[in-house]
Amino acid sequence: MIDLLQFSPEVAMARAEGVAIVALESTIITHGMPFPQNVEAARRVEAEVRAHGAVPATIAIMGGRILIGLTDQQLDALGQAQDVMKLSRADLAACLVMGKTGATTVAATMICAHLAGIDVFATGGIGGVHRGAETSFDISADLPELGDTAVTVVAAGAKAILDLPKTLEYLETRGVPVIAFGQDDFPAFWSRSSGLKSPLRMDSAAEIAASQLMRTRLGLPGGQLVANPIPLDAEIARAEIMPVIETALAEAEAQGIAAKAVTPFLLQRIFELTDGRSLASNIALVLNNARLAAAIAREIVTLRG
Ligand code: PSU
Ligand code: MN
């Protein structure tokens, strides 16, 4: 395994010294934000993790190896690369064997983080059950991954491009704790509330860390979804974002966008339709998640002693 994983110098040192590490995904860089804002945002998120006492490990696939932590040059190259594969559980092995460049989604990042012994992962939004899933069968592989792989994922909930009630039902079926941080409602990415109550609520990083370790003690596989509401000053009102989402969804349907292409298509259209405003909010919420993830990772290090 160790020759499949390639640790950046910074992450290798953190491992040697027992410093808390926070995993970060790369699909958000290649398929979630345009260049050059994507690379700039990725750097800011890494800096935020460092500023809060942990070391960032951005994960991607290059040259047949799983990179755990990217150097500045690798991050820059990834942010501009064309034809990067979007990797979920289904494609990870194939990408490694073919020696292609791949960006990891939430599901694939969880798998790689777990292999690298990293317990906590920060991102923006997770994939979920798409609207119309009863006919399209489009359910993100992120959801079953949360049921299988013991990593705590900090996200700002899920976007309303998804069917949020069905997403919560699916997570419940797969035994995934969905924990809203500091409020009762499940957040909806740009909005602090989805109008749905979160199954669980916690108000401290220590409790979230302790519950991940308790699950391990109980012999329960799988991770936790921490749903961290976007900061108030970065929120986009529901009334403003919902029509944009409806337009993007209608366009996706009219153009026959399907499978892996759905989420990147919707993200790009929403970015365009809000004149880039959605991006500023997106960056603010990822930074917020990076801070909470760093705090949880530090608590886990303390609890493990
Ligand atoms: N949702 C977002 N932003 C994102 C993604 C989802 O709000 O960047 C990305 C993540 O990498 C997530 C992936 O894991 O899309 C889900 O893709 P799909 O729906 O095809 O499973
Ligand atoms: Mn899908």
Side-chain angles (χ1 to χ4, degrees):
M1 179 50 55
I2 217 71
D3 57 332
L4 201 52
L5 300 178
Q6 182 176 313
F7 295 98
S8 69
E10 184 187 17
V11 174
M13 192 179 296
R15 280 162 57 85
E17 293 175 353
V19 173
I21 302 173
V22 171
L24 300 168
E25 64 155 303
S26 44
T27 294
I28 192 173
I29 302 171
T30 57
H31 295 71
M33 294 182 188
F35 180 81
Q37 293 101 318
N38 58 352
V39 172
E40 195 189 307
R43 291 224 164 88
R44 284 182 64 192
V45 174
E46 290 193 344
E48 199 74 4
V49 171
R50 291 186 193 102
H52 289 80
V55 164
T58 303
I59 293 178
I61 308 303
M62 284 181 201
R65 303 189 78 187
I66 302 173
L67 307 188
I68 309 289
L70 303 182
T71 62
D72 261 7
Q73 299 91 299
Q74 286 168 333
L75 182 58
D76 215 62
L78 187 72
Q80 302 183 61
Q82 304 294 315
D83 302 321
V84 177
M85 288 177 80
K86 174 183 162 186
L87 305 177
S88 192
R89 169 173 277 260
D91 332 274
L92 188 55
C95 179
L96 284 163
V97 167
M98 295 187 293
K100 296 203 170 162
T101 298
T104 52
T105 60
V106 168
T109 304
M110 289 179 73
I111 294 169
C112 297
H114 192 61
L115 287 171
I118 302 172
D119 306 294
V120 184
F121 159 27
T123 187
I126 59 157
V129 179
H130 280 262
R131 298 207 215 165
E134 56 276 28
T135 48
S136 69
F137 277 40
D138 192 347
I139 299 175
S140 174
D142 292 351
L143 300 186
E145 201 62 52
L146 281 158
D148 290 335
T149 302
V151 172
T152 291
V153 178
V154 182
K159 290 201 167 102
I161 57 174
L162 302 169
D163 186 323
L164 298 181
K166 286 194 183 72
T167 299
L168 290 177
E169 289 294 346
Y170 191 99
L171 289 167
E172 184 188 16
T173 302
R174 287 303 317 266
V176 178
V178 176
I179 304 164
F181 185 67
Q183 68 177 31
D184 294 330
D185 282 7
F186 183 70
F189 202 81
W190 291 293
S191 318
R192 286 174 64 82
S193 172
S194 61
L196 302 166
K197 228 174 123 56
S198 174
L200 295 164
R201 168 187 174 152
M202 286 185 184
D203 295 326
S204 78
E207 249 180 353
I208 296 168
S211 4
Q212 181 66 55
L213 298 189
M214 181 60 79
R215 285 179 64 86
T216 306
R217 273 179 77 190
L218 294 171
L220 299 175
Q224 312 188 103
L225 176 60
V226 177
N228 189 26
I230 185 171
L232 198 54
D233 58 1
E235 188 179 32
I236 302 181
R238 266 174 86 72
E240 192 179 333
I241 201 70
M242 287 314 280
V244 171
I245 289 173
E246 298 298 342
T247 303
L249 283 166
E251 288 179 6
E253 164 130 29
Q255 295 177 38
I257 308 293
K260 272 176 177 300
V262 173
T263 301
F265 176 88
L266 294 172
L267 298 181
Q268 175 63 22
R269 282 305 286 142
I270 292 167
F271 170 72
E272 290 161 2
L273 291 166
T274 58
D275 292 321
R277 244 198 86 202
S278 64
L279 185 62
S281 295
N282 198 339
I283 293 169
L285 66 85
V286 182
L287 292 171
N288 191 43
N289 295 343
R291 289 189 282 276
L292 179 56
I296 297 167
R298 283 191 282 110
E299 292 289 354
I300 291 183
V301 167
T302 306
L303 286 169
R304 287 232 170 91

